[in-house]
Amino acid sequence: MKRLALTLIAFVATVAVIMAQDGSRSQLTNLPHIYIETFSGQDPASKTTEVPARLWIVEGSREAYYDSVLIRGRGNSTWKMEKKPYRIKFPQKERFMGPERANAKKWTLLANHGDKSLLRNALASYVGDLCGQTFTPGAMFVDLTLNGQYRGNYQVSDQIDVRKHRVDIAEQDAPLTPESNISGGYIVEADGFRDYVDGKTGWRTSLKGVPMTIHYPAEDEITTSQFTYIRNVVNTFESRLFNNTFESALSYRHYVDTLALVSWYLASEITANPDFLWSMYFYKDRDDDRLHFGPMWDYDIAFDNDNRLSGHTPQRELMADIGFTNNGLEQWIGRMWQDEWFQRLVFDHYKTLCEDRLEQKLISRIDSLAALIDDSQQLNYERWNIRQRTLREVVIYSTYDEYVDDLRRFVHIRIPALLDAFARRNPDHPDTDDLIGIEPDVTTRSDYYYAIANAGTATRLDTDAEGHVVANHARDDSHSQQWQVITLSNGYHHLVNRLSGQALTDPTEGPSTATTNLSTQLCVAPADTADRAQQWHLVMQSGGRINLNNRQSDHTANLSGGRADDGTVILSYTNDSRNATSNNRLWTLVVVDSLTAPDAIDAPRQPDVDYALAYDPQGLRLHYGTDDLSRLTFDATVYDAAGRPVLQFRAQDGVSVASLPRGLYVVAWQWQGRRHSAKFSR
């Protein structure tokens, strides 16, 4: 009876607190707005000292109020930034992110200040969910006002701890009794920030010296017996990983949760998180001999957002090869990659994700998140400078949309690149051409000829008498400057020269990466769509410009020295973050002519009709002329210079082109079993 009375009192107090409103706080955007006021009126100045505060959260007509909240700083490099991240602690457990998330006291407020898109941590959590991680930190976007000052767009997320809807494993007895089962649970981090000699909550592993930090049980609760137990478990796992065989009963395979391992590893590679071997969490449950890799954490420098990787191509290389580590953990993953079981596990799981439209799902999530926070990000960048590098951003843009486009482009390149990389490491060596098609960046039509013009000089890809590829000044009547751009089923493009009938080829020989075996001159060779040296990824950059990236060499087409002289050679060159900004590597596609299809064998012949297409530049109208318009029963399509359809109309009706921007256009139609086209300038 006494317990019931206390519960009712607590309930009444909670209702009274939630109902308290002073009417001075409101939402500034569509997102919930959190107001925090410290009792001292001073911002938290430390990551260790908690400051008492009041907190309000406003959403629509509802306002919730929490007294006696504690707030402190959090993060490592992010704590040094002007826009600070925080951790908040309620006096009692709260479902702060709704009924489907944890009921907990501790929550984080991520500033995402080193990520101009503000989306990377939220997108990484979604990747973890898709890959099959049991728990990924939540993402609830809010606006934050602290001590009367608007601080910007923030992300409410979970603290990593043991509880339902977080790391859902057995809690240790506190205090321990002689009957306590100390086999679980534990949360441990392979922690590159620590340099331990053995201590109360940390040690270095016995074989590879990997620094480990125990996060659960907490430092003020863990006992010597618990520390000794989990240290022995991890050290034993490491010794099993590096024993002489993968096939024995003592192999590491039997002591790791398979789904947790592959989902954690794939999520780390899909997001291209360079820190995944610097800081890695794993946990162990009670009466379970296996280690569970995860949960994921801290992805603001992922998705190619760290300029320390400038010597590499994060879009294509495995983070297991180029990620940051000095703690020995890379030896763990390197050892796993020697195991054919792991090689097949990674490839098979990733192939299934791709077949389930992984790329499309990620692009859709980027778009939906960007739309959700659009009003908030505008306020955020009124408060903070979007053009200022705050951490290690690779590229600085002028607008938010450019940062989101950059994130989309990265995903579009990385998803198929990983399929290639994992297939090559799979002992069964499947050909990825037959695995899954990808959506190309650039939409082209194979029934047009294109000129490929350099963004800096406007000179065009051409061929010389020896079949070398060079750049020459533009000539619309030069068939050697015209290319048929054919989209292959795997999403790559095959570029065939109109004059020679041969295909654009990168003749680089031997093993190649994005930054090795450079400066080979491109050439043309007999067309073979199965030849990877003739398969090109047309990567869309800003302003409608593209890169021509070769599948075989992993290089990009580069105008040597950026020269405008006729005969300037085109090189197979470095493929890295400068692709988006270097005019030497940027090209534009311009429609210059159309292919004429032969008569269809079974096409019904229609009565001869004399007609003509006319363009009225004053009235900005396209129309056909003939004695009887009703006899023109076909439709016509207008394409822009990039080959994209922009208008369609019935020949009898004509169409206004007033809505089109100025430029060169092609009108195409089919009549009497043949294709016809005409160019006009708007």
Side-chain angles (χ1 to χ4, degrees):
M1 190 66 181
K2 182 178 180 181
R3 177 176 296 177
L4 176 60
L6 289 174
T7 302
L8 288 173
I9 291 171
F11 175 76
V12 171
T14 300
V15 171
V17 167
I18 292 175
M19 293 298 292
Q21 299 187 31
D22 61 12
S24 64
R25 300 169 186 85
S26 61
Q27 272 178 277
L28 300 184
T29 72
N30 58 301
L31 299 181
H33 198 117
I34 291 178
Y35 292 84
I36 298 176
E37 294 179 2
T38 62
F39 289 113
S40 67
Q42 302 298 312
D43 289 0
S46 156
K47 296 190 297 179
T48 56
T49 303
E50 295 178 319
V51 178
R54 302 180 184 88
L55 184 149
W56 296 258
I57 182 166
V58 181
E59 186 172 11
S61 60
R62 295 173 296 173
E63 178 179 303
Y65 169 71
Y66 303 89
D67 201 354
S68 301
V69 172
L70 297 176
I71 180 171
R72 64 171 175 83
R74 64 163 308 277
N76 291 300
S77 56
T78 54
W79 175 244
K80 301 173 185 177
M81 298 182 189
E82 193 174 6
K83 183 186 178 188
K84 305 290 188 185
Y86 299 104
R87 194 194 78 171
I88 54 177
K89 182 179 179 181
F90 292 98
Q92 59 189 22
K93 294 178 181 179
E94 302 287 349
R95 294 194 180 277
F96 197 50
M97 291 183 62
E100 300 303 317
R101 303 299 301 190
N103 186 27
K105 293 182 179 181
K106 299 175 183 178
W107 299 85
T108 62
L109 284 170
L110 304 182
N112 292 322
H113 196 41
D115 167 21
K116 295 295 193 296
S117 77
L118 306 169
L119 304 178
R120 281 175 165 81
N121 273 305
L123 184 62
S125 288
Y126 181 62
V127 171
D129 290 339
L130 292 178
C131 291
Q133 279 278 285
T134 303
F135 161 72
T136 55
M140 182 176 78
F141 287 103
V142 299
D143 294 304
L144 174 67
T145 294
L146 175 60
N147 288 327
Q149 292 184 341
Y150 174 71
R151 304 303 174 95
N153 175 278
Y154 275 72
Q155 177 186 328
V156 178
S157 191
D158 294 273
Q159 184 81 3
I160 293 181
D161 60 10
V162 174
R163 68 186 58 257
K164 188 175 178 62
H165 298 305
R166 287 187 175 171
V167 181
D168 193 2
I169 57 178
E171 295 187 48
Q172 296 270 4
D173 294 342
L176 292 181
T177 69
E179 291 76 32
S180 294
N181 183 345
I182 65 168
S183 67
Y186 295 89
I187 301 177
V188 181
E189 178 188 6
D191 188 353
F193 289 103
R194 302 298 175 92
D195 186 17
Y196 280 116
V197 183
D198 282 9
K200 187 175 182 181
T201 60
W203 79 98
R204 283 187 175 272
T205 59
S206 56
L207 191 61
K208 298 299 179 181
V210 182
M212 295 287 171
T213 298
I214 302 170
H215 288 280
Y216 181 83
E219 183 175 5
D220 58 352
E221 295 180 350
I222 192 168
T223 66
T224 301
S225 61
Q226 290 170 320
F227 173 85
T228 302
Y229 175 84
I230 190 60
R231 181 185 60 184
N232 290 341
V233 167
V234 175
N235 287 345
T236 300
F237 172 82
E238 185 182 61
S239 67
R240 288 165 179 158
L241 177 61
F242 287 93
N243 66 18
N244 292 328
T245 177
F246 293 119
E247 304 296 337
S248 75
L250 296 179
S251 167
Y252 81 100
R253 300 177 191 173
H254 306 293
Y255 299 94
V256 64
D257 182 90
T258 301
L259 178 58
L261 172 63
V262 71
S263 62
W264 164 82
Y265 178 71
L266 286 179
S268 301
E269 290 289 6
I270 292 168
T271 59
N273 179 22
D275 266 351
F276 91 108
L277 295 179
W278 176 261
S279 170
M280 179 204 72
Y281 284 91
F282 57 93
Y283 56 92
K284 183 189 180 299
D285 206 353
R286 181 175 296 164
D287 296 326
D288 183 349
D289 292 335
R290 302 168 302 166
L291 297 183
H292 300 251
F293 282 66
M296 300 161 55
W297 186 252
D298 200 6
Y299 281 72
D300 53 347
I301 63 170
F303 300 100
D304 194 19
N305 193 39
D306 194 313
N307 57 22
R308 291 174 295 176
L309 295 177
S310 59
H312 300 280
T313 52
Q315 299 95 329
R316 295 172 175 81
E317 296 183 70
L318 297 186
M319 292 299 112
D321 296 333
I322 67 172
F324 308 133
T325 180
N326 64 4
N327 60 13
L329 193 58
E330 77 282 2
Q331 297 180 65
W332 283 23
I333 299 303
R335 176 61 174 164
M336 290 179 188
W337 267 120
Q338 296 173 13
D339 183 3
E340 290 189 358
W341 171 81
F342 183 77
Q343 295 165 8
R344 290 188 177 95
L345 176 69
V346 169
F347 173 76
D348 290 343
H349 198 75
Y350 187 71
K351 176 175 176 286
T352 299
L353 289 171
C354 289
E355 290 172 340
D356 198 29
R357 303 176 67 252
L358 174 63
E359 179 185 336
Q360 293 89 334
K361 288 179 178 179
L362 295 185
I363 297 295
S364 177
R365 180 55 63 101
I366 291 170
D367 291 343
S368 62
L369 289 173
L372 172 68
I373 70 168
D374 189 49
D375 289 345
S376 180
Q377 65 81 14
Q378 293 180 49
L379 277 184
N380 185 82
Y381 289 117
E382 290 176 11
R383 176 70 174 80
W384 307 105
N385 188 350
I386 199 170
R387 300 177 183 88
Q388 178 180 326
R389 181 169 279 106
T390 53
L391 185 57
R392 302 183 188 94
E393 298 93 320
V394 172
V395 181
I396 298 299
Y397 295 110
S398 299
T399 66
Y400 178 75
D401 287 345
E402 289 176 294
Y403 288 105
V404 176
D405 286 343
D406 189 70
L407 187 56
R408 289 193 194 96
R409 280 194 299 272
F410 178 82
V411 167
H412 179 70
I413 297 170
R414 182 130 184 102
I415 299 309
L418 284 180
L419 188 64
D420 255 358
F422 294 150
R424 289 171 182 168
R425 295 192 179 207
N426 182 3
D428 302 321
H429 298 298
D431 186 346
T432 54
D433 285 347
D434 300 325
L435 293 175
I436 186 169
I438 61 172
E439 291 295 325
D441 258 2
V442 181
T443 302
T444 61
R445 289 178 58 96
S446 60
D447 53 352
Y448 286 123
Y449 289 114
Y450 293 85
I452 304 172
N454 181 259
T457 65
T459 53
R460 294 179 174 180
L461 284 193
D462 205 338
T463 59
D464 63 18
E466 288 76 35
H468 299 134
V469 176
V470 296
N472 288 323
H473 282 85
R475 287 180 52 197
D476 282 346
D477 60 348
S478 174
H479 285 189
S480 63
Q481 292 185 2
Q482 298 179 17
W483 302 82
Q484 186 183 14
V485 183
I486 302 168
T487 304
L488 304 178
S489 61
N490 60 8
Y492 290 90
H493 288 84
H494 187 64
L495 284 67
V496 179
N497 187 265
R498 181 174 185 175
L499 180 65
S500 66
Q502 295 187 315
L504 181 66
T505 304
D506 185 341
T508 298
E509 296 181 351
S512 173
T513 71
T515 56
T516 63
N517 299 347
L518 305 175
S519 299
T520 302
Q521 185 174 4
L522 301 187
C523 65
V524 290
D528 179 3
T529 57
D531 184 352
R532 292 187 180 205
Q534 296 183 10
Q535 296 182 14
W536 298 85
H537 185 194
L538 274 54
V539 181
M540 181 64 72
Q541 302 289 1
S542 63
R545 302 172 300 173
I546 63 171
N547 304 125
L548 301 171
N549 295 342
N550 187 262
R551 184 181 186 189
Q552 177 69 28
S553 68
D554 205 14
H555 297 167
T556 192
N558 182 87
L559 178 69
S560 180
R563 297 189 299 272
D565 305 331
D566 279 351
T568 299
V569 299
I570 307 300
L571 300 177
S572 169
Y573 206 69
T574 304
N575 181 354
D576 58 27
S577 61
R578 291 191 64 232
N579 285 2
T581 57
S582 172
N583 280 338
N584 297 4
R585 311 178 195 178
L586 292 168
W587 307 86
T588 58
L589 295 181
V590 181
V591 173
V592 292
D593 206 351
S594 64
L595 287 77
T596 302
D599 287 343
I601 296 175
D602 57 352
R605 297 292 296 179
Q606 299 175 357
D608 289 336
V609 177
D610 290 327
Y611 70 96
L613 174 66
Y615 172 56
D616 175 9
Q618 282 74 40
L620 298 176
R621 185 171 180 79
L622 286 169
H623 63 90
Y624 289 89
T626 186
D627 291 338
D628 183 2
L629 284 173
S630 66
R631 298 177 66 184
L632 300 182
T633 57
F634 57 85
D635 291 339
T637 303
V638 180
Y639 297 89
D640 65 13
R644 295 183 292 258
V646 292
L647 287 175
Q648 190 171 48
F649 64 97
R650 296 179 59 195
Q652 299 172 11
D653 300 334
V655 69
S656 170
V657 296
S659 62
L660 299 178
R662 294 185 180 276
L664 179 68
Y665 295 89
V666 175
V667 187
W669 67 96
Q670 186 160 332
W671 177 249
Q672 302 283 18
R674 297 178 66 89
R675 290 188 61 84
H676 305 270
S677 65
K679 291 185 287 185
F680 74 97
S681 294
R682 157 77 170 86

